[in-house]
Structure formats: C-alpha cells, structure tokens
Amino acid sequence: MKKHFLFKVLRLVIIFLLAGLMHVSAMSHSQTITLHAKHLSLASVLETIRQQTGYAVYANIVHLKDTKPVSITANNMPLQTFLDKIFADQPLKASVEDKTIVLSRKRVTQAGTSQAKVPAIQVHANNLDVQQAQITGKVVSAETGEPISYANVVVKGTTKGISTDAQGNYRLDGVAADAVLIISSVGYQSLEIAVNGRKQIDAKLALQSETMDEVMVVAYGTAKKSTYTGSAAVIGEETFKNRPLTEVTQALTGTTPGVQVGTSNGQPGSAPTLRIRGIGSFNASNDPLIILDGMPYDNAITSINPTDIESITVLKDASSAALYGARAANGVLMINTKRGRTGKPTVVAKYNFGLTSRQSSDYERLSDKDYMELYWEAYRNSTVLNGGTLADANRDAGAALLAGIGYNPYLMDAAELFDLNGKLNPNAINHWADDTDWYGGITQTGKRHDTNVSISGGTEKTDYYTSLGYMNEEGFIIGSKFNRISAKANANSQITKWLKMGTNLNTAQSKSDGQQAETSGAISNPFRATRFLGNIYPIHLHNPATGEYILDENGNKIPDFGSGWTSEDGTIVISGRDNFAGSNHPFEVHDTYNGYLRQTINLKGYADVSLLEGLKLTINGGVGTNMYRSWNGGMIYEQKGNAGSSAQNSSNTNTWTFQQLLNYGKDWGRHHMDVLAGHESYQYQYWYLSTSMKTQTIPGTNFEYANFTEINALPNSYTHNYRVEGYLSRVNYDFDEKYFASASYRRDASSRWHKDSRWGNFWSVGAGWSLDKENFMKDVRFVNRLKLRTAYGTVGNDDLPGYYPWRAVYAPNDNGEAGFVQSSLGNKELTWEVSKNFDAAAEFVLFDNRLDGSVEYFNRVSSNMLFSVPQPISSGIETIDVNAGSMYNKGVEVVLNGNILKTNDWSIGLNLNTTFLENKLTSLPLDPYISSIYKIEAGHSRYDFYLREWYGVNPDNGFNLFRADLEQFEFTPDELKEINGVMYTENIEKSLYVYSGTSLPKATGGFGADIGWKNFNLKFSFYYQLGGQFYDGGYKSFMNTSLVYNSRHKDLLKRWRQPGDITDVAIFTNGTNSVNIDAASSTRWLVTSNMLELTNVNLSYRLPKAFLQSKNISDAVVYFSADNAWLLAHRKGLYPRRNFNAGYISNDDVYAPSTIASFGLSLTF
Amino acid sequence: MAVMSCSKDFLETESTSAVDQSIIFKDTKAALMAINGIHRVMYEKGNYAPKMGYQYYMLYMDFLGEDLIYTKSNAQFRTEADWTRHRQTTNQYPRHIYEYIYKIIANANMVIENIDNAEGPQEERDYVKGQAIFYRAFSHFCAVQLYGKRYDRAGNNTQMGIVLRMESSTDPKERSSVEDCYVAINEDLDEAIRLLSNVSFERSTKMHINVHVARAIKARVLLTQGKWLDAAEMAKMVVDHSGAQMDNSCYDYKQGRCSDATNKEWIWAKIAQPELETATLFNFYSYISNTNISYNKNTPRAINNLLYEKISATDVRKPLWVEDVTNHPGLVYPPGGNRYKWMSQKFIVDHPDNSSSSYSGAIITADLAFIRLPEMYLIMAEGYARGDEEGKARDALYVVAHDRDPMYSLSSNTGDDLTEEIMTQRRVELWGEGFRFLDLKRLDMPLDRGPKPRSGYNQGGAVNGWKNNFNPTNLDPLASNFNMYEEQAVGEASRYVAAGAKEWQWVIPELEIQYNPLCKQNPL
C-alpha cells in the first residue's frame, strides 16, 4: 500500500499547478479575461485565468521554471487571444481542450528565441507532417559539431527509445506526432523536443554548464551548486591539467580562497602543507581530511597522479563537512578521479617535458675579498675587546686569519696580503676562484618527464576509464629524483534496473632517490655545507704554493674533504679546514644513498541497490595499502674515515573503510527532499620496522646487510591501530530550487578516547535563497544569478600526535636490561575537539554573465581544544593533554571572475580572489606563556611574535641596543643608554620582550588571467600574501658571528666600524660579545612576509581541427607551462610561503623550492 | 540497517610500543624495569645534541672550570666554556640539564609511591625502592649545586635552593632553602642506604645502585656541605666495604681502560650499550675522545698546562696529556684530526691498534665512570685534612698518589700545603670527569684561567698558531694555555670569575618559571 503510494507520487510529472482547485469560487465563469498586469508571474496569470474561466490548467512543473513575467492590459479579451498574447514570448504554448488548458513546451525556432538560462538548443524541423510515424535525426555536440554516439533518444512518457550510432544518427519508429523526445548523453544537458509532426529531428546537445548548475561531488554524494547550502570550492581539471604537477594540491595555491598551501621543498616528490581557513587546532593536527573517491585517504598525496583527477572539492565550512564529522574540523579535501563517459572509446595521450631549477636565489653573500677583509676585522675587533692593544691587533690579525682559515688562495703571506688597516692588497688574486662554487657543485638542471595515456568510454549501462602514467623528475640537486608509475581503472555498470556496481582502483609505485639531509646543523646537510663554506675554500685540492690543481695518476682533480692531505712524497701538505671537515658534498652528492620505494593500492568497490522508487542503498568498501621501504647509508670514503653504514626501514599502512548509506529522494509539487542515513567504520593500521647495520665489508655501493658485519642499532617494530566509527544522516530540502535548506547529524566514536568519553555529536544546519528566481528581481536586469546562503554547524578533531592519548603509559627505555620510563599521565576525560563554524555568503553572476563571484564571511570557532598543557619542568612531565581553551579563525573570502571580452577571435578572462583571515585565541588553560618566539595569550593570535625589542646599533661601540626591561631587572647605570627618553641596554638578557606582529598574513589570495586568441591561450596565476611577519632565521645565521670562516651576508658591508657610525648592522667580531651581536631572538630579524609569486604561466596552442581530422585526431594541444616561475619577497633568499603559519625557520639549509619549466603535448583520439 | 564492525572492542586499541602504567607497578620484577628506565635517563639522547643527560652535566662541569681547555675558540661548547650559556634563561641546552634531573625525580617518585603495593619479595621491594630514593636524592643534589648558592658550612643556608619534588605532582611549588634541600637529600640517602643494606644479592651491572653507590654519593654530599670528617668517614665506609680496589690499569689508555667498567676502581658507571646508543654526538665521548667526530677532530681537549706541569714525570697519568704532539709515540687522534699541545689521551675509545677496520668512527660509545674509588680516597684525604686529621689525610692521599706514581712517598706537607697537594691530586685524577666547577663552587674559590695576555710575549695564537706550529716561540711562561687559541681568544669575561659572583649560580630555565609561578629566578 505504502509502496504503491510512493510510486504514484514520484512518477507524477504533470501536477495540478494550482492547489486552489480545492476552493473553486462561486463566481460565474466567462470565455474572456480582464487583467491589468505588470510583471506578474506566469503562474499568477494562469491562476487568474482559472478563476475567471473556471478552466483547469495543467502544466509540467519544469516548464514554468524559465517563464517570463507577464505585462498585459486586457479588458474582456477573448481567451484564445489572451493566451496567444501572454505566451507569445514564452517558451511554452497553450492549447485549450475541453475546458482544460494544457501547457507544453514550444518547439524552438532556428533563431533560438531568448532562452538565456537554457543552453543552445537547435532543432531543424523539416517537412511538417502530422501523420509521420518514423523519425530520423542526428545528434551532435553544440560546441564542436561532432556527432555524439550512444546518445539516448527516448519518447517521453514511454519506454520507447534508442541509442545513436557512432555517427550520432538514430531512427525511431512509431512515434506519435504530438510526442516529445528526450535526448540525453552523459556530460551533456538533456533536451526535450516536441515532435510536432516532423520526421527529421536533429539535435545539438550543449555541454553541461559549469557555472551555477554545476553538479559537485560533496560529502557522501553529489549536489547541485545552485541549491547547495555549504561552502565548497571545486577546482576542475582545467585548472591544473596542463601544469607540470607531481601532486595536485599545488594547484590550490592562489586559486582557492580560504586554502593556504605551503611551499613544498625542492626535493622531487615532496608535498606541501595545507591549511583551510586558518589554524583550528592548537596541539592537534591542522591538516585537512583527504577523501579519495568518497573514502578517507591516509596515504601519500604524491601517490595520486594528477592526470587521473577530474576535480577537487574543498569543503570549508560545517555545512559541507559536518557529515565527515569526526575528522573534518580542518576542512576536507575531496579528490575525485575520472570516470568514463558514454560514447565511443576516447584515448588521451599526454607528454610533458620539463626542466627543474631553483625558484629563487639564495641570500646574497660576500665576495671572497670582502670576506677576507671582514674576518680580518673580526679578529682585530675581538682582540681589542678582549684587552689587546689596537696596534697588536692590527699587526696580528692577518696572520691569525690565515692560520685559522688554513687555506690561502692568494698565495701571499699575511704582511703582503693585508695592510695595517685590514685592506686587502689590490693585486691579490684568488688562485682558485673558479673552484669555490660549492652550491653550484651540487646543483644541476633537472629533467622531468611525464607521460600519461588514458582510455575511456562507455555504453548506456557501463562506463570505464583506465590509465597508465609514468613520471620521472630530477631535482635541481644532483642525485635527487622521484619517479612514479601509476595506473587507474574505474568501471561502473548498471547491471539491472535496481543494481549498479562498480570498482575503482588507484595504484602507484613511487621511488625516490637522493633524498637530501636537511637536518639543521648537521655536517651531512649538503645545503648547509655548501652555503656556508666560504668562497676561499676550494672544492678540489690545490697546491698551496702554486694554486694549481693537484691531479691524481689519471690526471683527474681530487676532491678536497678538508681533512688535510699530504702528497705521497710529503712535499705538498694541505692542512684542511675546520668547518665541514671531512665533507665534500659536490663529490658526495653523486653517491647519496637515501631514498624510498612506496607502493600504494587504493581500491574501492560499491553497490547501489534501488530498493524502492527513490530509495537507494549504497554499500561502499574501500581498502588502502601503502607499502613503504626506505633506506639510507653512508659510503666509505677514505678521506672521511667512515666505516660505512646502512639502515633499512619498512612500514606498511593498511586502511579500510566500510560504509552503508541509505538515500531517499522525493519530489512533491515544487518541493524536493533528499534524505541520507548511514553508518561508517574506518580502521587505520600502521606497522613499522627499523633495522640498521654498520661496518661495510667490501667498500662500495652494496648496502645490503650481507656486506656489513655489525649491528648498528637493535631492530625495532611497532603497530599503530586507530579506528573510528560513526552514524550519519542528512536532509536536503528545496522548494522550487528557490529556497533550500539542509541539516545533518553525525555521531562518532574514536579509539583515541576512553570508552566513557568516546562518542561525539556533530551537526549542521544550512539555508539558501536564490533571489534571482524571485519576481521582484526580474527587472534587475544586470543580475543573472544571485544566491544567498548561510550555515552553522560543528565538526570534530581527534588528531593528536599519539594514538592512545587517554592511557597512562610507560615507554621502553632499555638499559641493556629491559627498562621503562613514564611517558604519559593519560587523561580518561580526553575527548573531541569541536570546531563550530558559521558561514554566510552571496554568490552572484552579473552583467550578462560577464562578472561572477562570491563574497563569503566565515567564523570558525574551535572549542574544547586538544591542548597539551605544558607543566612545570620540575614536575618531570612535559605536557598533559586536556580539552581546554578556544580560538577563532574568522574572515572574508572574495572571489571575482570577469569575462572581459568574448569575440570570435578573442576571449579575455580575469580572476581575483582574496581571503582576509584573523586568528585569535580567546581562552587558554595556561595564560599567558611563551612558546619559542611566540607568546600564547588570549586576545592574541596563535602565532604572535614575542621578541626582544631591538633598537638598533649603538653608534658609540657598534653593539646592538635593546629596550631595557626596567620593571623586571635592576640595572647598573653603565648598562643603560637613554635615547629620546627611552632606556636601552646592550645586555640582551635584560631586554624587554614585546609583541611584534603576527606570522599569519592578514590577506592571501591570487589573481590571474586567461586570454585566448584564435587557437592560442595564455593563462597565468599569481599568489600573494600581505600583512604578516617573518622571522628570518636564515638571514640571521648569515649575519651572526658564532661560526667563524663561514660565508656571510652582503649586508655586513654596512657594519659598524668606528665610533659615530650610524648603521643597523652591528660590529663584526667574535668571542664572548657575540651574544649581543647575534641579537638572539629579537625584532632585529623580523621582516615582512609580504610576497608575490607567479605560481604558473601557461601558453597553449590548439591545433586546427581541419588539420587533425585527416589524422584521426580529435584534439591536440601543445603548450609551454612553468610552475613557481617567479618570486618577489622582502629579501633574496626568503620564501615566506614555506611555513606560512609559523613564519619561521623556513630558509635554513633546506632544499629550496624549485621552478619547473615544461613543454607538453596532449592528444585526444 | 546492516552494520558491520560494531563488535564491542572495535574501538579498544592499545599501544604496542608502550605499556600501561598499572602493569609497571604490579610486581617488583616489573617495577625494577622502571628503575632500569631511570638508569637510561642518566645518559638518554635528547632531541638535539649534546642533550644526553648526566653525560652533558659531567662535561659541563669541566667546561666551566679551568683545567679542561678547548683548543679552538670556535669549538662546540664555546658558549658553555665562556660562561654565557648557563646564564641564559631561554637556552634549550642548559634547560636540558634541569629537564633530565627532574625527569629522574618524577620517575623515582612514581616508584616510591607505588612500590609498596607491588607483589614480590621484600628484598626486591627494598632494592627497587632504595634505588628510587637514591635517584631522587642524587638528582636533587645535582640540581642544588647548580641553581642554589653554595652550601656554607658556617650555617644559615636560607638562600634559595631548588624546587624539591618529594611527591608526584604537577602543581606549582616554590624553591626550598639550600638548607632544606640538603636535609631532604640526606634523609633520602640515609633511607636509601638503609633499604639497600637489606639487599643481599649482587647487582647485575655497575649501572645499578647498591649501598656503596649510595654511601659514595652521601660522602660527596657531606664534602659539599663542608662536613669534613663525616665525609671522610663515609668515604672510608666505601673504601672498606665496596670491594673496589685501586687499579692503575685504568690509565692504560691505549687499551681504552679509562672507558672500561671492568676496571676494579669503578663503583658506579654507565655501561655502554652500543646497539642502543647509535646516534653520534649523543655521547660523552663524542666531545672528548678520539671518536671520529668533527668536534673531536678539530678541537682536541687539552689540560691546563699549569696543572700539567705539576704532574711528576714518573706519574702514569703524565702521558695522558701530550706536550710534544709531533714526537709523541703512538699519539692517538681521529683521522685527519688536529693536534694541539697538551691534548688529552685520557678517553680513548677506539684505538688503531685494536682493529684496523673499526678505527673508523664505528665505535661511538664506551663505558663511563660516575664514581671511582680514588675519589673516595681523595674525599677521605680532603675531609681529614680540612678536619684537622692530617695523618689520616696523608695516608689516604698516599694510596692514590703512590698507585699512580711508584716514586711517590708519603707526603710531609701540612696545613694549606697539604690541602693544596690533595686538591692537585684531585684535579689530575678526576680531570674531565665532571668535578672542577663543583669543587671551585663548594670551596668558594674564584675561576682563574691564568693571567691576562702580557705585551711582549707570544700568546701562542696570533702569529705562530699551534695548528701549524706545535712549539710557538716566546710564550709567556706565566700564561696558561687558556686564551691561547690559534687565532682568537675566548674572552676576558670568563678568564676570571670572582668567588661568590652571581655567575656561579645557574639561572632557572624560563619555562619553569612560566609554568611554576611560585619558582623565583636567580639574579640575572
């Protein structure tokens, strides 16, 4: 009974338009109409007709959607005349039959009367003949004119239908003259055409529009953008398909408001940090949840070949993300891979060749001569400051310097090389100047190849997509490379009317070699060594007497490891250097044995079961596995005296997801509702094994353990288990696609919490209103679309670093015998961190579709934050995890896209987006406290710098001056210096700490252009950030004094030299005084993080169709594309996007970001 | 609805790399593992080198003294040696000392509070608890010597000591007076000695704490308090009962005997675990031995030449430091390393003669002595001497001095000369083992690293640096090799520090003060 009713309701297409039938008025009816209307909706006019004539009015509800308001003056106008008038420029026509007015779609004339919101439909009507029973025709693409095969042509209201053949032709028998054909094909907008007695009906199908009525992949399904209440950004393939991307998140840089992408380092295969709408968590993770084809993805993002990706959906607010409740507090990144489309098999082949190089230049450093003079001065100054006389100091400085450096490229003794003022002899020549480019010695122009082939297609019932990709990238550091073989297979089939099944396989093998050590301070860090070795140290051995290269018996140059060298006959002795002794990275970088092999398989299978009309059960099962093996080893170098070592580590990540979803959709009248209920369980298991050996038997590149004799470290292994389980539900409702609302609820449990605190409830509500569908907007001509929406909801976060944070545990701390040490106090009350998100937005399309965009306000409040509260050191416990404190991220996102020009030859589009973001702590469990160079205090941001206030350099003695903290410390009079009434001190330990701005940029965003001329297309996009600060530790280390004989920054040329000098750069010296000179963590090193970056520029050319057709190619594009092409920041050497949150430590001795310039070709068959 | 994986324990997960606290205190066997864990904290690797527990503490005590010389100014530990780092409130390295000390105390407190309910024989319970209480005392003692002003034997020690943590708590707590600290330390040591006296079985390694270790530390504490005769008597207990014997094979440095716990003199020691201690730069020997590490290569540690000159030519310890580095037979230094006059050979962990293949940086760690028997004799000698029992003092001194130098005859010194002789023996014997700063502080002496450079003399650095010339000419005979680096001086500020200056007190790490507002800072 119930079932029957449902069918009835759902199948009801023609409805009573006007519910008013129920209360028929008593007034007498006539065949004439009297109406004075101005911009009255057609529906209201029809109601008037019904009231005045008593006729019933039937219409397809869909038809009324794009009708126009009516203006008419009628006094007792005959009904037929009246109808003719009001339907004259409507897409509908009316016929009167037996006191019933039936509305139907007009056939569209060739002129294509104004139907702004219905894409181009053209129907050729020939030879009108009411008796005709057979119809033939051809279906083609409106864009390209190419035939569409396997398009469905169905007679409306019947089961009669057929598919087009490969040439797009169809033939349909026995069609009534008044029938309506529905023509559809995947990827195109379907079309309804009234036969009207014709016997040939050709159709042009328009591609599915990607503006407002885009169908987006959203949480557990899809949604129409026009009625979506959440905040979700969709980045289509167009944005990134012709870019030399190794992983896709780079494509979000500057293109997606609210999303910040860190600069990934230059190591091929590395991935950036992502932040969506600021920093929501204090100690828990701030990484967004990644969903691959509907399943949580916990593997490397680099295992997904960007070419296989159709779109990315970024879910930013609670309404869009709440359904992922448990782990969605930091937003969700949905990666949707490609699937086949109905039609003949399509083969796409792509090849891209690129060159990698360093994106930006390093800090500017001193020339060798300036370097010599500066260090001479350092020696002189420290001798004087330590009590020596100036005369002695001047006399001895040169010799001391040469002794300290240990090398003398000028082949002159100290007395000849320096005068008594430390000026270098103008005739001095650096005899190995051409052999000191250490950084150049480890760099190269890397090559990058990216090849992809895909085959896709489908029939009415089954579609498939399969692809193979191979990518090989060399970094700009010698030896560093990354390659990936990826394959994808996706097949979906409607097996029966009620059952659809499919599988989706994404698999990849990635291999990285020449991973470079970035460990701060380590000699093994090639970046550090090659940046800091002064340019008086040669890369190869040189005869200290003549400056000539020393050659081995084969006539080759010999690398200088700096550990000293003596010729066999003892005549040539090279003493070696102190800094980076035992290392020669230009030589060693060729043999770096450090890499990994990663094999990932992500498999998804599903079954859609239609239980009843509108009711569907979906079962999704997903398995992800990541087999990872890494290795690193140390070569035996005679010069280093190493024994050789080898470490091999292995891990295996296994995840599975199981979802049961029940969807129910229902239409009644203009109401539409979708209901979803589901259950999801997820398991993450990570197994890890480490091993290492040392003392190589046979020196060489065999790093397998058979070639080693001693265990270096005991093997270790462990398994992490993490599980979540949740119940979810959602209701979406819309009325006439004009008013819409949604609500969701999810209940989740995490294995991270104790069983009594395990479950959390997350929910959201949202509403929207399409104003452009309102009558009162009909006159506002410049508005094509206008939608308002708002949402509020909560999402959770459990992503603390450990997997068992509630447990009080002891960790192994063996001492030859088994030992344990207290590791955590545990906290059984620990539970979900909750993020409460409010979002309100206006989306618009204006000026005849020339300008579209949105303005959006968001307020993301994190409460019950997962907080690792620092404890007094004397408690012996570093931190205790609790739920405490709150913080908000609020801001405004603005997106503007302008289609400035569109002519036959030209098209110019400009785009701009900006996110204004404010992050503020509102309450804390410990308030305030200092964390590194930040102060954590309510009322301030998470990353507000709290630094010693640096004033400048004391002109009297060249020392740095800092604001004196008069409240906290006592000063002797000689510790203070008064300048303009403010007290300053040279004693850095007594300096005043002040808030010094935040590292978080106030505004970030991007702008770009898309310019087409004939077959050429030029695209570029910029990223910018404004209003943040950056603590330039990299600069500091080139300006400080604690490491002698390292290369130094050019700015030291501005150093203080004698009393009275006004400068910002302190005296250059060494020894005890360096504490002052180095200025510790003070505002001395703070600079603006404003930057502008050309993230991509792309010039493409589409080969003419005429040329291609003869070669059976349907599309061919050649292009040039460069990523990270250009950067402007406060100072050379700085790239503030790398660590945009913390604004700190980004530039120290790391693999700098790279630029990739590439050429590519894309062919479609 | 079909629901899978909802079995009751689906969400119950447990760590595979840690164990629940309740398991640790279930019985005495498990609780002993909590003591083993503390042993490891004594030398545990931190996040950045040289954070490595008590090993760093030991090195630091010599960086701050005058007897151990850094031969280059740009070496690692320069800021330690020039007395700036321990005065920096936010520096992570001195903070590590504070951290590892209180980590031991917290772990000890957990054991002390939970052991009474653990199943097992009483003797094992005493063994566990005695060691825990010992560690609490030892750690408080290590801390109070740094952060508090010195203990004045004259009394009235109301000056700020340290935060005494006598129970598991994360609550803020103020610093106790130095007097109260020493009361607590002594009470704990007495209790540890009482409990450990009940233990009849032999400890498994010298890393474990037995009653002799507890008594030896008690002797140190008493010496630090200036309780001269008590200290001497306590040290004598160790000498008489510990079973340790003088063994000058410990100076057979070429066999690495200065880093070998099988030496009969050793009472308490870290036993090297090469397969656990695999990180370079996280080991005592990474900074003072011949291991093939840049800091040791560039900057061999040397003895203060003025102290070196006091060692008799027949003393077995004399060759531990090398005056003539060009002609010294069998000089051991890392491949490609620098050689400097008076460089040390004391801590040789990896000798070319041992095995040609292993002398290559493969050896990172070695045993490290925390307490050796000669220290006990020297405490006896010093205690008796300062306590006016000079005869006993000379006898005790003789044991050490004669063992090291067969030509040594019983001292005839008296008064200050005798204590001076004892202190010299102490400086030579315990060189590099982490005592000098603490000795200077407890005795209220200044740091004096030698006179200022004098005009007209060569300081050994500037003109004919020692790197290329091992025997500079025209050296100032009064000067020490401190401040005589090859190119630059470390600095005048730390050449001389007056006794009692505020710099003798380490500053409390800023993070302690932030999270424990009751804790007051020392004068900056």
Side-chain angles (χ1 to χ4, degrees), chain A residues 2 72 122 167-168 216 226 373 410 491 550 558 620 762 788 804 840 860 884 908 927 930 941 1028 1040 1051:
Chain A
K2 197 174 180 184
I72 193 165
Q122 291 195 0
Q167 283 72 46
M216 306 187 297
S226 61
E373 291 185 357
Y410 305 98
I550 296 172
I558 305 169
N620 291 322
F762 310 99
L788 302 180
Y804 320 97
R860 177 181 172 204
I908 299 178
D927 189 16
I930 289 162
S941 94
N1040 76 12
D1051 284 355

Side-chain angles (χ1 to χ4, degrees), chain B residues 441-453:
Chain B
K441 186 170 177 179
R442 74 179 162 86
L443 296 169
D444 204 17
M445 291 165 68
L447 172 78
D448 186 353
R449 287 168 160 171
K452 281 188 183 185

Side-chain angles (χ1 to χ4, degrees), chain A residues 379 578 640-641 681 694 712 719 723 725 810 812 814-815 817 820 822 873-874 929-930 969 1070 1072, chain B residues 5-6 10 16-17 19 33 40 43 72 78 107 204 208 278 292 298 360 362 487-488 490 512 514 524:
Chain A
Y379 177 79
D578 290 330
K640 288 162 93 90
S681 40
K694 64 181 177 183
N712 187 31
T719 304
R723 291 171 193 152
E725 175 163 30
Y810 269 62
D814 295 350
N815 174 45
E817 302 161 279
F820 286 93
Q822 188 175 32
I873 303 174
S874 62
Y929 69 97
I930 289 162
F969 304 112
N1070 207 322
T1072 315
Chain B
S5 67
C6 276
F10 177 66
T16 57
S17 50
V19 300
M33 292 191 236
R40 181 67 191 272
Y43 61 95
K72 279 183 73 68
R78 192 195 70 186
N107 274 276
S204 55
H208 288 225
T278 54
N292 188 19
N298 291 341
S360 51
E487 69 273 15
Q488 295 177 20
V490 158
E512 172 71 15
Q514 271 194 55
L524 290 174

